Amino acid sequence: MRLRLPLFLVTGFGVALLLQYFIPLPAGQAFYSRALEWMQVIFAAGLLLGGANFARLHLKRAATRKDERPYSLLALAALATMLVAGAVSIGRDSTFLWLFDNLQAPMQQTVFSLLAFFVATAAYRGFRLRSVESGLLLSVALIVMIGRIPVGELISPVLPQAASWLVDVPAVAAKRGILIGVGLGSVAVSLRVILGVERAWLGGSQ
Amino acid sequence: MKLPALDRRALYVLLFLAVALPLLFPIGLVGSVSKSTRQFHRLIESLQPGDVILISFDCEAASWAEIGPVARAVILHAMKRDLRIVGTSFLSEGTALGYRLLSELATEHGKSYGEDWAYLGFRPQYVAAMLGLGESIIREYPKDYLEQPAESLPIFAGVQSYRQIKLVISIADDSMPQYWVEYAGGRHGVPIAAGLSAVMLTTFTPYLDSHQLVGLVSGLKGAAEYEQLLGVTGAGTRGMDAQSSAHLAIIVLVVVGNAIYFRGRRKS
Amino acid sequence: MMPARPGLFAIVLWAAASTSAAAPPASVLQAPHAADRPWDKGGALVVTWQNTMPVDFTVHVRRLGGAEPVALGPFPISSEQFIDSGLTSGIAYVYELAVHDPDGNQVSVVRTSPAQPRPNLFDLSRADEAILIALLFAVFLWGTFRGSPREIRPIAGVTAMEEAMGRAVEMGKPVLFSIGWGAQLDKPATLAALNLFGYIARKAASYGARLLFPAHDAVIMAAAQESASAGARLEGRPELYREEDIYYVTGSQFGYAAALDGILCREKPAATFWIGTFAAESLILSETGNQVGAVQIAGTDSTIQLAFFLVTCDYTLIGEEMFAASAYLTRDPKAQGALWSQDVLKVVVATVLVVGLVAALLNWHAVGNFLRGF
Amino acid sequence: MSEPAIWISALCTLAIYSFLYRDNPVYRAAEQILVGLSVGYLVVITVRSTLIPRVWTPATDGNPWAFVAAALVLLMWTRLHPKAGWLSRLPLALVVGAGAGLSIPALLKARVTSQMAAVLTPTPDFNTFVGALGVITTLAYFHFTRPRTGVFDGVARVGTWYLMIFFGATFGFTIMSRISLLLGRSEFLLGTWLGILP
């Protein structure tokens, strides 16, 4: 029962929504939008479940692990503040938006900007002329980097053209090769899911 | 693969200086204007004063540093052309950013809310909203971002749906322009242009070649080029010096890294 | 037997030529009729009539039924039909067919009976996709259930997974698995990644290594918990499954990245698995992973992030290799058979491209147009 | 932005940047606050934009479908209960099954047929051949059930070169976006906060 019912649902919804793509009857259309809405509702419920899991985890850490207590309390305080502020109002000059604008957004932008530093160390460490392949990787990256800034044009007009040709022709070809491979792999996985053979999401079949 | 000689923190300081110094002492490096930015500029020039365009802020707060200057340059040009602007957003974080930029530029150019520009705010389900704008803007957005009834705004007197909108511009840091092309462009035939972060350029260049997009400006370099065409110096132009020096710093790092690597290998 | 097309044309010409000198023919269109276009998703009507007048006459049409009348055409009278689409299913439309002679003055007007566009049982315009999917399924099913087991070429990152587990136990450190901020349970790439996670969870249980899975989505967290507890049970050590090691962090992209940086520095895992769908946060994770000295194995279908994993990780499964890895690991003949059918389909794709290219050279663009028309 | 707001944003920025030196309590505090705020933000936005308009309001109006949605939500939340946790497999099954059914035609068109169509350009030229060669050799690289021997190995190797060009181009190309993020933060710190920019 714990296994057969979910597997029956997977096959049922999988086949129904695959066939619906080809059956434009109003009933099929209604079922399609109903299924989309249910998926949104389930993701939303999942998000609240995440919030509950987050609170439970940090309460337990605060209670049991002394060294983690201050940090877990901080996390819980931040969560509580945001929930209370959000319950009151999320309008234009609400505390909720103020907290987002002046605390959450700047920190998110700063974490994102860490990438500028990490791109530099990754390039420094990773771009080594060890083989034909890594040589290609290194030289193309340098050409594209130089070609994309004003200095590149000053060195020679060929650079920007070479950079855009490399991006527009060979790079796009390799990307297409990857996408076709991934596309076929995805269809294979979806078929195995609908047939009930692929059960990784249910606890695996190994 | 440990770092042979340079500790990573030295690299971080070097990179920060490479970005900060040109900001403190601007050089004013200016590159040539690319074809796509010039084409976008001509597109806005071709619109008549009083025409209505729709600008959608489909971006996250995290990438505003790159996409903000692009949006600012495009809106500046639109307001200089006395175009009327309707704003929307399909990503929750982009909503407030878009409103703040539009109202800042509107006050600078003496544009009155409701008359010359309006802001409709956020819609989570973007496909339904894009199709809704094709039927009736007021039905899809009964209230604007300031909670006022949309019918009361004079700008919507003559503007009922896409038919009266001359151009849609999606300011995006991800794949939203693709949905604008498929749903708004494909089904209702309204022309779609996009202001993008540089990383999305390869994804949407094919749309420009196939004319599914009528205009495309991308990255800080695109913003700098657009500012050059407008004859203003904004975040884009200021950024070009820092971009160039940062790129050169990374290139030098890679060369140095390989030099150390080869010297180490020759010794062993 | 119907004469060949040119023959029919000759008869029509002969008929028109012989009668044009005589009194003007009946100037009213015969049997005007409007009906729903069959086998479509609705919103389209087919208007037909029988022509009794010379070829150079035209038909001007007015559609009644919508908010206000809409003028259509003019249509050549000899076409005897046209398709009006973009209508609203369920509303009755009437068509007014006005015949005009070459000088433009109206000769006669006639109306069709009302007709309603309706969506039908099958959308013919998607028949080509239906056939392609059926063929694909046939190849997959044949490969999976009938094909003989096949040897799969070694995939670099996969053999390293078990070694990484051994290293973790020796150093008494945990192993960390992240499925990426872009992963969602309704995406096939996420299920392929969960499949690999199932294998790694089972190996961790057999080695007795602690496995961390910080999740960005509670739905995936639930699936991972199911997978890990099943893995521990299958290895006969159910007590090794710790539910609090598979927990929700946050759904915000850079909140997630910041939290994982903290976990990496504090837990100092011996090995990290970045397997799933990633966005810009990929390099923040793998660069910090490198700083704490972990062995890093990555695998993703996100084409942009592959470049960053390749430069910072020890092993990277590129695109489809992530899908193929589980077949290689589990040695399950059915999964190996499915992988063989994927290879067969890739050969078909390559052949179609070659044929299409050669044909395009000979200025015959049927293959390209067929694919574009999809 | 007002004076205190600038100071708070600047201090948060510096707290996160302190991670570049090494993991430290200041970073850890900022990290926990960021994570807590972001979970709160998502819960509020989700409740206000999905759960209330899609489940709560229609349910109070007696719409039968809303009770189905409410049931799905409750089934998801059985996860919190140790014994009844398995019931959450039902909504999971709905998402996984529907996802699989929806993705087959969508991914087949977006990833296979339209990519193949893009290779066969109406007016083939030099670039078309370089592109087609790239796709075919990359597909050879992704061949799993054939040992890498002889000519086939050569073809797959050319595919690897194309892949390296793609990864090099993507890396070089994305550096510009990442640098402009640091630029944005530097302008905020040096300009808006310290006010030392020209």
Side-chain angles (χ1 to χ4, degrees):
Chain A
M1 176 61 169
R2 293 191 179 204
L3 196 60
R4 266 206 313 286
L5 189 54
L7 284 179
F8 174 75
L9 272 176
V10 158
T11 309
F13 274 92
V15 169
L17 279 149
L18 174 58
L19 293 183
Q20 188 281 330
Y21 182 77
F22 301 101
I23 301 170
L25 288 179
Q29 196 58 31
F31 173 74
Y32 170 72
S33 34
R34 189 73 57 202
L36 284 185
E37 187 164 327
W38 285 342
M39 282 169 86
Q40 284 220 348
V41 164
I42 291 170
F43 279 127
L47 209 128
L48 262 72
L49 178 69
N53 189 279
F54 177 87
R56 194 170 61 166
L57 181 83
H58 281 284
L59 280 173
K60 204 164 131 204
R61 275 191 189 162
T64 54
R65 310 227 308 248
K66 234 173 74 52
D67 57 342
E68 307 230 354
R69 179 165 300 139
Y71 300 111
S72 287
L73 289 178
L74 258 179
L76 290 168
L79 172 63
T81 320
M82 212 54 168
L83 290 180
V84 168
V88 168
S89 133
I90 60 169
R92 264 186 31 275
D93 29 39
S94 59
T95 326
F96 178 80
L97 207 55
W98 191 90
L99 287 169
F100 174 77
D101 277 343
N102 298 302
L103 277 159
Q104 187 174 335
M107 284 201 272
Q108 279 177 327
Q109 286 172 7
T110 309
V111 173
F112 199 3
S113 74
L114 289 179
L115 276 173
F117 297 104
F118 290 163
V119 143
T121 45
Y124 173 72
R125 207 186 52 254
F127 284 158
R128 284 289 180 282
L129 212 54
R130 282 188 303 272
S131 63
V132 172
E133 282 76 12
S134 64
L136 258 178
L137 181 79
L138 163 63
S139 39
V140 169
L142 291 184
I143 293 170
V144 168
M145 270 202 289
I146 301 171
R148 300 278 304 155
I149 47 175
V151 173
E153 292 149 28
L154 303 182
I155 297 172
S156 94
V158 168
L159 266 174
Q161 283 143 14
S164 41
W165 184 80
L166 283 170
V167 170
D168 291 343
V169 181
V172 164
K175 176 176 179 176
R176 290 214 167 95
I178 297 174
L179 286 178
I180 291 174
V182 165
L184 291 174
S186 301
V187 170
V189 167
S190 299
L191 172 63
R192 284 211 304 277
V193 161
I194 293 175
L195 294 176
V197 171
E198 174 61 59
R199 298 180 183 172
W201 63 279
L202 242 182
S205 56
Q206 290 88 2
Chain B
M1 285 191 291
K2 278 275 148 261
L3 295 181
L6 275 174
D7 178 273
R8 59 185 166 77
R9 293 179 193 85
L11 296 186
Y12 297 152
V13 170
L14 182 73
L15 191 75
F16 182 72
L17 290 177
V19 167
L21 290 179
L23 287 177
L24 293 164
F25 315 102
I27 314 158
L29 281 170
V30 174
S32 63
V33 178
S34 69
K35 190 162 59 68
S36 62
T37 309
R38 203 177 292 282
Q39 180 193 350
F40 197 107
H41 183 269
R42 260 201 317 275
L43 179 68
I44 302 284
E45 285 291 316
S46 67
L47 298 178
Q48 301 314 321
D51 284 351
V52 178
I53 63 173
L54 178 77
I55 297 186
S56 182
F57 295 91
D58 310 326
C59 52
E60 301 275 349
S63 50
W64 189 249
E66 188 193 9
I67 201 80
V70 174
R72 178 180 292 274
V74 166
I75 294 169
L76 203 61
H77 190 195
M79 286 189 171
K80 279 198 162 106
R81 289 286 304 162
D82 290 329
L83 304 178
R84 291 186 294 161
I85 297 174
V86 174
T88 66
S89 163
F90 292 138
L91 286 178
S92 62
E93 291 183 9
T95 314
L97 295 167
Y99 176 73
R100 199 169 299 126
L101 179 63
L102 272 174
S103 50
E104 180 199 322
L105 289 174
T107 37
E108 256 173 47
H109 290 74
K111 301 284 178 185
S112 67
Y113 187 80
E115 261 304 305
D116 304 315
W117 71 287
Y119 197 71
L120 297 171
F122 171 60
R123 271 291 177 287
Q125 235 304 340
Y126 50 82
V127 170
M130 282 175 191
L131 296 175
L133 286 170
E135 309 306 319
S136 143
I137 295 178
I138 295 170
R139 198 149 32 87
E140 182 59 33
Y141 288 87
K143 285 221 201 68
D144 72 355
Y145 182 64
L146 307 171
E147 308 287 341
Q148 297 164 0
E151 302 98 352
S152 68
L153 302 177
I155 193 171
F156 291 124
V159 178
Q160 198 244 348
S161 73
Y162 286 134
R163 272 186 291 283
Q164 291 78 25
I165 289 181
K166 291 290 186 292
L167 178 67
V168 167
I169 302 174
S170 170
I171 304 291
D173 60 3
D174 205 322
S175 47
M176 199 61 81
Q178 177 188 340
Y179 305 114
W180 276 107
V181 162
E182 279 158 12
Y183 292 105
R187 190 166 291 213
H188 294 284
V190 61
I192 311 284
L196 299 166
S197 57
V199 68
M200 293 316 293
L201 187 63
T202 44
T203 312
F204 285 106
T205 313
Y207 284 82
L208 195 64
D209 304 341
S210 60
H211 304 301
Q212 290 170 287
L213 280 176
V214 293
L216 195 138
V217 182
S218 81
L220 212 62
K221 188 163 191 300
E225 290 167 9
Y226 212 102
E227 286 158 14
Q228 207 181 318
L229 292 175
L230 295 176
V232 297
T233 54
T237 317
R238 281 201 310 275
M240 270 309 109
D241 302 344
Q243 285 280 3
S244 306
S245 69
H247 278 222
L248 291 178
I250 291 177
I251 291 161
V252 164
L253 276 177
V254 169
V255 170
V256 164
N258 273 291
I260 295 171
Y261 170 74
F262 277 108
R263 203 157 41 76
R265 223 165 58 141
R266 214 172 297 114
K267 239 187 268 144
S268 64
Chain C
M1 226 286 280
M2 276 291 289
R5 183 165 290 280
L8 173 71
F9 192 68
I11 295 168
V12 169
L13 269 181
W14 172 75
S18 62
T19 56
S20 62
S27 65
V28 177
L29 287 177
Q30 306 305 316
H33 182 63
D36 168 51
R37 181 177 63 179
W39 306 120
D40 67 357
K41 45 179 173 299
L45 287 171
V46 180
V47 180
T48 54
W49 64 82
Q50 281 162 5
N51 172 34
T52 56
M53 278 158 275
V55 178
D56 51 10
F57 276 47
T58 55
V59 179
H60 291 247
V61 180
R62 264 180 7 122
R63 180 211 309 148
L64 314 171
E68 74 277 345
V70 171
L72 300 168
F75 299 99
I77 197 160
S78 55
S79 65
E80 294 193 331
Q81 77 149 32
F82 73 88
I83 294 175
D84 186 8
S85 59
L87 309 172
T88 318
S89 294
I91 296 178
Y93 293 91
V94 171
Y95 289 86
E96 203 178 69
L97 310 174
V99 177
H100 288 236
D101 63 18
D103 317 334
N105 33 45
Q106 186 167 313
V107 173
S108 71
V109 175
V110 71
R111 284 192 172 195
T112 66
S113 51
Q116 280 190 11
R118 273 181 296 95
N120 309 90
L121 181 60
F122 181 76
D123 180 355
L124 210 57
S125 70
R126 288 182 171 167
D128 45 9
E129 288 178 74
I131 293 165
L132 181 67
I133 289 176
L135 282 174
L136 243 63
F137 278 12
V139 171
F140 279 130
L141 291 175
W142 192 76
T144 308
F145 296 108
R146 288 276 321 335
S148 56
R150 283 183 172 54
E151 200 45 47
I152 298 179
R153 71 160 165 84
I155 301 172
V158 171
T159 41
M161 285 183 187
E162 192 150 355
E163 291 153 26
M165 211 60 75
R167 182 169 182 266
V169 175
E170 276 159 35
M171 299 163 72
K173 287 192 184 155
V175 165
L176 187 132
F177 187 104
S178 167
I179 201 162
W181 177 73
Q184 260 183 329
L185 209 54
D186 60 339
K187 290 183 179 169
T190 303
L191 292 170
L194 268 177
N195 207 319
L196 279 178
F197 173 70
Y199 170 82
I200 288 169
R202 214 177 144 174
K203 276 292 169 219
S206 71
Y207 276 83
R210 185 170 159 234
L211 175 60
L212 302 177
F213 184 106
H216 73 295
D217 171 291
V219 176
I220 290 178
M221 174 196 81
Q225 285 173 340
E226 299 264 352
S227 207
S229 72
R233 218 174 32 255
L234 286 167
E235 286 299 319
R237 305 174 73 175
E239 77 288 353
L240 278 180
Y241 166 61
R242 293 162 50 122
E243 185 169 81
E244 68 275 11
D245 280 349
I246 300 177
Y247 57 98
Y248 177 79
V249 175
T250 173
S252 138
Q253 178 175 16
F254 295 108
Y256 184 74
L260 260 83
D261 277 357
I263 296 164
L264 285 166
C265 289
R266 285 152 225 152
E267 302 280 354
K268 288 194 171 31
T272 58
F273 297 95
W274 312 117
I275 295 177
T277 303
F278 290 80
E281 83 285 351
S282 61
L283 185 59
I284 299 177
L285 307 178
S286 60
E287 188 61 13
T288 309
N290 183 279
Q291 281 167 27
V292 299
V295 168
Q296 302 207 95
I297 298 166
T300 181
D301 61 327
S302 329
T303 50
I304 292 178
Q305 309 313 326
L306 276 169
F308 300 113
F309 281 142
L310 202 80
V311 174
T312 53
C313 294
D314 302 283
Y315 302 96
T316 305
L317 303 176
I318 301 173
E320 201 185 350
E321 287 180 332
M322 178 174 79
F323 291 82
S326 59
Y328 179 78
L329 282 168
T330 55
R331 304 243 177 298
D332 159 25
K334 280 213 277 284
Q336 289 178 347
L339 200 54
W340 175 74
S341 19
Q342 267 170 256
D343 282 354
V344 165
L345 291 171
K346 281 190 287 256
V347 171
V348 167
V349 165
T351 323
V352 167
L353 289 181
V354 170
V355 165
L357 215 57
V358 169
L361 272 178
L362 309 175
N363 201 338
W364 178 63
H365 296 294
V367 180
N369 296 340
F370 170 73
L371 286 167
R372 262 179 288 282
F374 236 72
Chain D
M1 285 202 287
S2 65
E3 201 53 44
I6 292 179
W7 271 87
I8 291 174
S9 302
L11 292 179
C12 289
T13 304
L14 294 177
I16 297 286
Y17 274 147
S18 70
F19 178 76
L20 289 172
Y21 179 62
R22 58 175 170 74
D23 180 32
N24 60 77
V26 172
Y27 170 77
R28 198 166 173 188
E31 172 208 323
Q32 297 298 340
I33 292 172
L34 171 59
V35 171
L37 290 175
S38 66
V39 173
Y41 178 86
L42 284 168
V43 167
V44 168
I45 294 289
T46 305
V47 168
R48 278 177 175 270
S49 69
T50 308
L51 286 181
I52 289 178
R54 288 273 175 79
V55 182
W56 181 256
T57 326
T60 45
D61 303 343
N63 171 342
W65 288 112
F67 292 113
V68 175
L72 288 172
V73 170
L74 295 177
L75 278 173
M76 241 347 254
W77 288 350
T78 57
R79 186 95 223 147
L80 290 170
H81 184 280
K83 285 275 177 311
W86 75 274
L87 281 171
S88 66
R89 287 180 174 183
L90 304 181
L92 288 190
L94 190 152
V95 165
V96 170
L102 287 169
S103 71
I104 290 176
L107 289 187
L108 196 58
K109 186 182 262 191
R111 298 219 169 141
V112 181
T113 49
S114 54
Q115 298 300 333
M116 288 169 70
V119 174
L120 300 173
T121 50
T123 53
D125 56 12
F126 170 71
N127 285 347
T128 313
F129 287 100
V130 172
L133 181 68
V135 173
I136 292 166
T137 50
T138 310
L139 286 177
Y141 171 84
F142 288 118
H143 221 76
F144 300 106
T145 52
R146 184 200 300 242
R148 281 277 180 81
T149 52
V151 169
F152 179 69
D153 181 44
V155 172
R157 197 161 157 75
V158 171
T160 326
W161 295 341
Y162 270 91
L163 286 170
M164 288 306 147
I165 292 175
F166 171 61
F167 296 142
T170 311
F171 200 105
F173 200 82
T174 314
I175 279 185
M176 167 166 268
S177 294
R178 307 307 183 219
I179 299 289
S180 42
L181 301 167
L182 173 57
L183 223 135
R185 286 289 86 197
S186 310
E187 280 200 325
F188 169 76
L189 287 176
L190 301 176
T192 320
W193 184 39
L194 298 176
I196 55 175
L197 286 187

